Amino acid sequence: MTFETMLSTMASGMLKTGLIFVLTLLGSLPLGMVVALLRKSRFAVVRGIISVYISIIRGTPLMLQLLVWYFGPFYLFGWNIGSWRFPAIIVAFVVNYAAYFAEIYRGGIESIPQGQYEAAQVLGYTKFQTFMKIILPQVVKIIMPSVTNEVITLVKDTSMAFTLAYAEVFSLAKQISASQSSFMPFLIAGVFYFVANYVVEFVMKRVEKSMDYYK
Amino acid sequence: MILEMNNIQKQFDELEVLEDISFGVDSGEVVSIIGPSGSGKSTLLRCATFLETIDGGEIIYMGEKAAWTDENGEAVYVGPQEMKKFRGYCGLVFQQFNLFPHYSILKNITDAPIQVQGVSRDEAESNAMDLLRKMGIEDKADSYPYQLSGGQQQRVAIARALAMKPEILFFDEPTSALDPELTGEVLKVIKQLADEKMTMVVVTHEMPFAKAVSDRVIFMDGGVIVEQGDPKDVFDNPQEERTKQFLSVFER
């Protein structure tokens, strides 16, 4: 197999990796905010459920969570999981990353001084306006470095989809390497992850810079 | 009467912070509240501006009840819709300024009138520029709070409160977070507002200022009003032992 053939075979895996990455962010970034807010709910039951959820997610390997999401429906309910592979991967990633993002958001929200809420309240802002206009923009600036970290980790974590034999870059690299007795696929995969994260860093730095106008 | 607070009670857990406080503020009146820390001054302001809820008593703005004690002895407030109106009557300037760091100075002042009161952007901005001129910092309109000194930030906070056109403006130790050389510029602005007959209640440790600017001084200690009256009487000829004790600390 030539280098070009390897590259073009692996290109389809790169698309799949990209798909996991994008769908996970689209799902977990907003879901994380919902989780963070529910964690501050006035109902103790809700707070309890959320804190158990976060501690299970953080306390078990993502690889195990992937297996549970994929095989769980079959073992628990005897469902046919033939076409469930890709959805299971996305669900596992979104549920996992939402927990981590929720903790980042929570830290950010808690670091906003009480005086900001009080000033907004005295000026007559509604609770919703206060959160959206006063609190959230400041939270976003504070948490940006931690979010960048998490996004970079996600780029690399997509390789865990390999556990469910989903043909993303890492799975393909391993397959081709074995069948061709070549080290090259791993190099290609490594360069791919590195470049992807280089782009992530570049974009996030620009975003952080755009919020540099205040302290 | 702009504001009447009758028999106000407030507890934090077991601690009784306000015990049966009653006082009123007339239109155009400037009232200073003095007293040692922990005497309940700030809590009283926070109750008056609805940042804290009272446990008993009544709060009346412009002759309308905002809160009262029901037959079960529990404090009740008007519903959220009506509460908006009452919040609009009062403004509060904080010790720590609490400007919004991500908004320019101009936006700090215009955003609430636009978002909360539905004032047009043009009107809000021209009003804000008038206020900034009055505060002597019209050149700071496009700056951000972190670029301003504490004294300038506090003047912005005053402008922000005034932009809502409150009936009464409360100050919670407005100069306590400032370097001594910056307190003067903030006190000057408050003095100017007093001359314009703005109704104000000022919690302060600046005794000469309280004496010079206020129409009435209230001395609080231990959650009660110990003494109140004309500033000359309270400062120069206090009747109560606690007042004498407290004021003597400042004479040295």
Side-chain angles (χ1 to χ4, degrees), chain A residues 113-126 129 133-135 137-138 212-215, chain B residues 46 49-51 87 90-92 94 98-103 107 111-112 115-116 144 146 160 164:
Chain A
Q114 193 58 29
Q116 293 289 304
Y117 292 91
E118 292 181 352
Q121 189 184 329
V122 170
L123 288 168
Y125 288 96
T126 63
Q129 284 175 324
K133 295 185 57 84
I134 310 297
I135 306 302
Q138 298 185 58
D212 261 356
Y213 64 91
Y214 75 93
K215 281 178 187 150
Chain B
R46 292 170 62 84
T49 51
F50 308 109
L51 285 175
R87 284 194 199 285
C90 56
L92 174 61
F94 298 85
N98 294 343
L99 294 178
F100 303 132
H102 58 307
Y103 284 174
K107 193 166 181 193
D111 196 58
Q115 301 292 335
V116 176
Y144 283 83
Y146 79 95
R160 180 176 70 173
M164 300 299 282

Side-chain angles (χ1 to χ4, degrees), chain A residues 108-109 111-113 116 130-145 206-215, chain B residues 98-105 107-108 141-148 153:
Chain A
I109 291 170
S111 70
I112 304 295
Q116 293 289 304
T130 303
F131 186 74
M132 296 307 285
K133 295 185 57 84
I134 310 297
I135 306 302
L136 192 57
Q138 298 185 58
V139 169
V140 169
K141 180 182 164 88
I142 292 169
I143 64 173
M144 213 32 105
R206 292 290 288 270
V207 175
E208 278 181 49
K209 218 168 183 172
S210 74
M211 292 183 290
D212 261 356
Y213 64 91
Y214 75 93
K215 281 178 187 150
Chain B
N98 294 343
L99 294 178
F100 303 132
H102 58 307
Y103 284 174
S104 70
I105 297 308
K107 193 166 181 193
N108 260 282
D142 297 326
S143 302
Y144 283 83
Y146 79 95
Q147 296 167 312
L148 273 59
Q153 288 190 50

Side-chain angles (χ1 to χ4, degrees), chain B residues 105-106 132 137-144 147-148 152 156:
Chain B
I105 297 308
L106 189 67
L132 284 175
I137 40 175
E138 67 266 40
D139 56 326
K140 301 293 184 192
D142 297 326
S143 302
Y144 283 83
Q147 296 167 312
L148 273 59
Q152 291 169 332
V156 173

Side-chain angles (χ1 to χ4, degrees), chain A:
Chain A
M1 193 185 264
T2 61
F3 177 75
E4 281 77 18
T5 337
M6 274 183 198
L7 205 57
S8 65
T9 314
M10 287 179 70
S12 73
M14 294 178 192
L15 275 177
K16 285 178 170 154
T17 295
L19 196 59
I20 298 174
F21 175 78
V22 170
L23 290 178
T24 301
L25 283 186
L26 284 179
S28 61
L29 283 170
L31 182 62
M33 184 53 78
V34 174
V35 173
L37 293 176
L38 286 179
R39 198 171 181 169
K40 292 168 83 78
S41 159
R42 66 189 128 141
F43 302 110
V45 185
V46 176
R47 289 199 304 271
I49 293 171
I50 294 297
S51 105
V52 168
Y53 151 63
I54 290 177
S55 96
I56 290 177
I57 293 295
R58 294 208 296 186
T60 59
L62 174 54
M63 205 178 272
L64 181 73
Q65 291 167 23
L66 279 160
L67 292 168
V68 168
W69 278 111
Y70 181 54
F71 292 112
F74 171 73
Y75 286 116
L76 290 173
F77 313 111
W79 291 356
N80 176 4
I81 52 172
S83 57
W84 172 238
R85 188 189 310 270
F86 183 68
I89 291 169
I90 298 304
V91 169
F93 271 97
V94 168
V95 168
N96 180 281
Y97 271 77
Y100 284 96
F101 283 130
E103 285 298 277
I104 292 174
Y105 295 153
R106 183 172 69 103
I109 291 170
E110 281 174 3
S111 70
I112 304 295
Q114 193 58 29
Q116 293 289 304
Y117 292 91
E118 292 181 352
Q121 189 184 329
V122 170
L123 288 168
Y125 288 96
T126 63
K127 284 215 162 100
F128 183 73
Q129 284 175 324
T130 303
F131 186 74
M132 296 307 285
K133 295 185 57 84
I134 310 297
I135 306 302
L136 192 57
Q138 298 185 58
V139 169
V140 169
K141 180 182 164 88
I142 292 169
I143 64 173
M144 213 32 105
S146 316
V147 169
T148 304
N149 243 331
E150 210 54 45
V151 173
I152 285 174
T153 306
L154 173 60
V155 169
K156 295 175 285 183
D157 273 359
T158 53
S159 62
M160 297 233 202
F162 148 80
T163 320
L164 300 187
Y166 182 68
E168 41 67 60
V169 175
F170 187 77
S171 302
L172 286 180
K174 194 156 180 296
Q175 254 173 42
I176 299 170
S177 170
S179 67
Q180 304 290 315
S181 316
S182 161
F183 189 61
M184 187 52 79
F186 288 133
L187 276 181
I188 296 174
V191 169
F192 167 75
Y193 287 116
F194 183 81
V195 170
N197 269 329
Y198 196 84
V199 173
V200 167
E201 260 184 79
F202 177 79
V203 170
M204 296 304 270
K205 256 191 199 133
R206 292 290 288 270
V207 175
E208 278 181 49
K209 218 168 183 172
S210 74
M211 292 183 290
D212 261 356
Y213 64 91
Y214 75 93
K215 281 178 187 150

Side-chain angles (χ1 to χ4, degrees), chain B residues 30-44:
Chain B
V30 179
V31 178
S32 290
I33 304 180
I34 60 171
S37 42
S39 58
K41 309 176 302 268
S42 289
T43 307
L44 184 62

Side-chain angles (χ1 to χ4, degrees), chain B:
Chain B
M1 284 273 189
I2 300 272
L3 165 68
E4 274 177 82
M5 294 184 86
N6 297 324
N7 311 103
I8 300 295
Q9 288 168 16
K10 174 69 184 173
Q11 298 178 348
F12 289 119
D13 298 321
E14 292 300 290
L15 185 72
E16 187 137 42
V17 186
L18 299 177
E19 300 177 34
D20 200 29
I21 295 259
S22 298
F23 81 111
V25 185
D26 269 323
S27 179
E29 201 181 12
V30 179
V31 178
S32 290
I33 304 180
I34 60 171
S37 42
S39 58
K41 309 176 302 268
S42 289
T43 307
L44 184 62
L45 281 205
R46 292 170 62 84
C47 287
T49 51
F50 308 109
L51 285 175
E52 302 280 358
T53 51
I54 56 172
D55 297 324
E58 51 182 18
I59 303 174
I60 303 166
Y61 273 99
M62 319 294 287
E64 299 171 83
K65 274 189 195 176
W68 59 93
T69 310
D70 67 8
E71 55 271 23
N72 304 321
E74 300 220 11
V76 286
Y77 281 79
V78 295
Q81 273 307 318
E82 258 199 281
M83 191 44 103
K84 282 186 188 164
K85 177 182 70 188
F86 286 103
R87 284 194 199 285
Y89 288 149
C90 56
L92 174 61
V93 175
F94 298 85
Q95 184 178 345
Q96 300 292 344
F97 331 135
N98 294 343
L99 294 178
F100 303 132
H102 58 307
Y103 284 174
S104 70
I105 297 308
L106 189 67
K107 193 166 181 193
N108 260 282
I109 301 172
T110 57
D111 196 58
I114 294 170
Q115 301 292 335
V116 176
Q117 295 179 328
V119 174
S120 75
R121 179 169 302 275
D122 286 349
E123 192 187 333
E125 286 184 354
S126 86
N127 184 29
M129 287 313 294
D130 288 343
L131 285 166
L132 284 175
R133 250 188 300 281
K134 201 162 147 186
M135 301 291 145
I137 40 175
E138 67 266 40
D139 56 326
K140 301 293 184 192
D142 297 326
S143 302
Y144 283 83
Y146 79 95
Q147 296 167 312
L148 273 59
S149 73
Q152 291 169 332
Q153 288 190 50
Q154 191 61 301
R155 282 182 280 161
V156 173
I158 295 171
R160 180 176 70 173
L162 287 171
M164 300 299 282
K165 302 196 165 66
E167 298 290 338
I168 178 170
L169 189 51
F170 295 90
F171 293 81
D172 189 3
E173 301 191 24
T175 59
S176 292
L178 297 177
D179 293 337
E181 72 264 32
L182 298 178
T183 58
E185 58 192 54
V186 171
L187 295 180
K188 207 177 101 191
V189 166
I190 302 175
K191 172 91 175 54
Q192 190 186 336
L193 292 172
D195 294 340
E196 294 168 12
K197 290 294 162 206
M198 178 79 205
T199 311
M200 294 187 287
V201 176
V202 187
V203 168
T204 185
H205 292 297
E206 300 285 335
M207 297 305 154
F209 168 78
K211 193 173 170 182
V213 171
S214 32
D215 302 304
R216 186 152 48 98
V217 172
I218 294 176
F219 172 64
M220 277 181 73
D221 190 22
V224 295
I225 293 178
V226 176
E227 186 167 355
Q228 62 174 313
D230 190 273
K232 281 185 203 65
D233 296 335
V234 175
F235 282 109
D236 298 336
N237 189 21
Q239 301 299 308
E240 301 290 332
E241 201 49 44
R242 274 300 290 125
T243 320
K244 286 177 196 169
Q245 237 175 29
F246 175 73
L247 289 174
S248 71
V249 178
F250 287 89
E251 276 160 20
R252 264 179 264 141

